[in-house]
Amino acid sequence: MKRKDKITEQASHYEHLERMSVVELLQHINEEDALVAEAVQKAIPQIEALVKSIEPRMKRGGRLFYVGAGTSGRLGVLDASELPPTFGVPDTWVIGLIAGGEQALRHAVEKAEDHEEQGWQDLLAYHPIEDDTVLGIAASGTTPYVIGAVTEARKNGLLTGCITSNPNTPLAEAAEYPIETIVGPEFVTGSSRMKSGTAQKMVLNMISTSLMVRLGRVKGNRMVKMQLTNAKLVDRGTRMLQESLGLSYDEAQQRLLDAGSVDAALK
């Protein structure tokens, strides 16, 4: 796919950004952001198909790997890192990999995304099995690090999916379950950390949250297996028990702390 063919590289619909007032900048960015939810909605059938394929694999012990570079990689790592405290799952269930490794979370690592073999090499460190899933994340759909990881994962029998903001990309061709969120040109031309990044975050939220619900990590609409890692979460868990069991605040809190989780305290 040539650069000029990528929607993510097309010129912004807005000219002379430097002449805009602050309120004009904010309003126009917001106008563009309003298009993201619609683009994600159109991709729900694609997301549904992927989630339905991942669920039985995770129930058999498979893991979900997010693979990306730059903003895409950081968003994958972010989503993966939020699941253990939110849903009380081991940090081995969902794993985020970023081109360039841990250093790339805070600093750009030159040319890290250009090495097509490195994505699969990074995955091999986790000894992948056939029930694992590899989800490549790349707004352009042309990132070599991500394409290489997805291509090799599929060759080795793993389930593969991707999230991209361009149609008919090499990444989508490589993945069994492509998800395309076509959000259009960015407000700042080519800055895919904006609408494309927002779409990626939304889709990752949908995938991981749906899976956690399906895997029994939510009861009703509550995070009953969340880790009690700070005072806010202890308070939240205490109030859940108060509501469910009719206890006083102090009784509920003590029961929670003794049990270690809302779920255990309800049993």
Side-chain angles (χ1 to χ4, degrees):
M1 174 175 284
K2 297 178 181 178
R3 182 183 178 91
K4 67 179 181 180
D5 295 331
K6 298 177 184 176
I7 294 175
T8 52
E9 296 291 340
Q10 290 178 359
S12 170
H13 297 309
Y14 303 84
E15 295 285 353
H16 307 300
L17 307 189
E18 73 281 5
R19 300 179 188 174
M20 293 182 183
S21 66
V22 171
V23 71
E24 287 174 327
L25 289 168
L26 299 178
Q27 287 174 340
H28 291 319
I29 291 171
N30 182 247
E31 288 167 5
E32 290 298 302
D33 285 344
L35 304 176
V36 176
E38 181 180 351
V40 172
Q41 183 183 43
K42 291 178 180 178
I44 286 178
Q46 299 171 333
I47 303 168
E48 177 192 17
L50 177 61
V51 171
K52 284 184 173 180
S53 295
I54 297 173
E55 181 186 344
R57 288 167 169 81
M58 292 194 75
K59 286 180 175 177
R60 294 194 296 262
R63 299 161 294 178
L64 172 58
F65 290 90
Y66 297 143
V67 180
T71 297
S72 300
R74 294 182 188 103
L75 288 170
V77 172
L78 171 64
D79 192 73
S81 67
E82 289 178 338
L83 301 182
T86 305
F87 298 105
V89 299
D91 59 11
T92 53
W93 279 29
V94 182
I95 298 166
L97 299 180
I98 181 171
E102 295 289 321
Q103 181 184 353
L105 291 172
R106 293 177 176 82
H107 306 283
V109 177
E110 187 176 358
K111 297 183 179 180
E113 68 177 53
D114 296 331
H115 299 289
E116 189 167 352
E117 303 80 12
Q118 191 59 49
W120 179 242
Q121 290 301 313
D122 289 349
L123 280 165
L124 284 177
Y126 292 88
H127 308 290
I129 60 175
E130 286 193 1
D131 275 329
D132 289 338
T133 301
V134 174
L135 179 63
I137 314 168
S140 67
T142 59
T143 306
Y145 176 87
V146 181
I147 294 172
V150 170
T151 299
E152 290 302 313
R154 190 170 181 179
K155 284 181 183 178
N156 283 271
L158 282 68
L159 182 71
T160 57
C162 72
I163 305 171
T164 179
S165 296
N166 285 306
N168 307 314
T169 63
L171 177 58
E173 184 178 351
E176 186 177 356
Y177 290 93
I179 297 168
E180 297 173 326
T181 54
I182 312 304
V183 296
E186 299 287 359
F187 179 69
V188 176
T189 298
S191 182
S192 57
R193 59 177 284 273
M194 301 187 76
K195 287 191 297 182
S196 292
T198 301
Q200 289 170 352
K201 179 68 170 98
M202 291 174 70
V203 174
L204 290 170
N205 281 348
M206 293 167 77
I207 292 170
S208 60
T209 302
S210 297
L211 285 170
M212 292 301 106
V213 172
R214 299 290 295 176
L215 294 170
R217 312 309 293 187
V218 172
K219 186 171 183 178
N221 58 16
R222 303 301 179 92
M223 301 179 288
V224 293
K225 293 183 181 289
M226 65 185 177
Q227 295 176 358
L228 306 177
T229 54
N230 57 48
K232 177 188 73 175
L233 296 180
V234 171
D235 177 70
R236 180 182 297 162
T238 299
R239 295 183 186 282
M240 287 185 198
L241 291 182
Q242 275 191 286
E243 181 180 315
S244 298
L245 302 177
L247 302 175
S248 70
Y249 185 90
D250 289 343
E251 289 173 331
Q253 185 174 86
Q254 189 59 55
R255 181 160 178 161
L256 175 66
L257 296 175
D258 289 343
S261 72
V262 174
D263 188 51
L266 287 171
K267 292 179 180 178

